[in-house]
Amino acid sequence: MENDETHIIHRILKGETSLYEYFLDKYSQQVFILIIRIVENQEDAEELTQDTFLKAFEHLSSFKAESSFSTWIYRIAYNTAISATRKKKQELIVMDSAMLMNISDQQIDDALNDESGERVGKLNKAIKKLDAEERALISLFYNEEKTIGEIALILGLTESNAKVKLHRIRKKIYILITEAE
């Protein structure tokens, strides 16, 4: 499929711009979902989704096929959404690193794998308290089921940095869930 997409890109760059609709149809819903999880506002997410596809179209010639088109468009979407959230000041939750160190992976797994209605509600509230970059990482990993390698490419991180951030965010979510109990 990636070869098909690369072929479509070459045809678009040669003037068949109507073929860009293929990418809009295939990826707009996924891009919108990522953006709305970051900005948490439907109107803003709709506008930022349009901005993402406009930027991708304008810079289509810079797509080098070193990653999949979906990874490339997700990176544009992520950067667009994060830039928008940085313009709006958000309350940051700062947690004591000693508190984070004392939480085991087993405690986190038990809490996050509990699918009871009450726990899911607390989980959703906890995720809303994360900053935009943290929500994006969690969304890409759990909702979009992207690999650590793909997430690293999208977010502009090393794989080890993406793993560390994911681990810390999971601990942060655990604390937020248990504080709500």
Side-chain angles (χ1 to χ4, degrees):
M1 177 162 0
E2 288 180 31
N3 280 340
D4 291 343
E5 290 184 347
T6 303
H7 180 70
I8 292 170
I9 290 169
H10 284 106
R11 289 178 59 192
I12 292 168
L13 293 173
K14 288 181 179 179
E16 294 181 63
T17 55
S18 63
L19 292 177
Y20 194 66
E21 189 172 329
Y22 165 84
F23 295 109
L24 291 169
D25 291 342
K26 185 164 184 180
Y27 296 109
S28 62
Q29 187 65 29
Q30 295 166 301
V31 166
F32 173 78
I33 290 169
L34 172 63
I35 291 174
I36 199 164
R37 286 189 178 124
I38 296 170
V39 301
E40 296 186 311
N41 177 295
Q42 182 162 343
E43 290 172 4
D44 290 346
E46 288 169 356
E47 185 177 323
L48 293 169
T49 298
Q50 289 176 354
D51 290 350
T52 296
F53 280 96
L54 183 59
K55 287 176 186 176
F57 182 74
E58 289 172 348
H59 300 291
L60 197 55
S61 62
S62 70
F63 177 70
K64 303 296 182 215
E66 294 167 353
S67 64
S68 66
F69 182 84
S70 66
T71 299
W72 187 71
I73 193 90
Y74 265 102
R75 183 167 176 85
I76 294 169
Y78 168 78
N79 289 334
T80 301
I82 291 299
S83 292
T85 60
R86 285 183 179 146
K87 292 176 185 172
K88 296 179 180 181
K89 289 284 183 184
Q90 291 188 339
E91 176 186 333
L92 295 177
I93 298 171
V94 179
M95 298 200 173
D96 180 1
S97 59
M99 181 188 291
L100 293 174
M101 295 285 290
N102 292 324
I103 302 167
S104 74
D105 289 340
Q106 186 62 47
Q107 288 173 290
I108 295 168
D109 289 342
D110 290 345
L112 298 182
N113 291 333
D114 179 353
E115 295 183 15
S116 66
E118 181 182 346
R119 182 64 72 157
V120 170
K122 289 178 182 176
L123 177 62
N124 288 331
K125 285 180 184 176
I127 289 171
K128 287 183 180 196
K129 292 180 181 180
L130 299 174
D131 69 38
E133 293 178 56
E134 292 169 332
R135 284 194 309 272
L137 198 151
I138 287 292
S139 176
L140 287 167
F141 188 75
Y142 287 105
N143 301 105
E144 303 301 324
E145 298 179 356
K146 297 290 185 189
T147 66
I148 292 294
E150 290 172 314
I151 292 169
L153 283 172
I154 291 166
L155 304 184
L157 304 170
T158 63
E159 284 190 31
S160 60
N161 195 330
K163 285 180 188 176
V164 168
K165 285 182 180 256
L166 179 62
H167 188 70
R168 286 184 183 151
I169 294 166
R170 285 170 39 91
K171 285 185 175 194
K172 193 171 183 179
I173 290 171
Y174 174 81
I175 290 171
L176 292 168
I177 289 172
T178 56
E179 284 179 349
E181 293 179 341

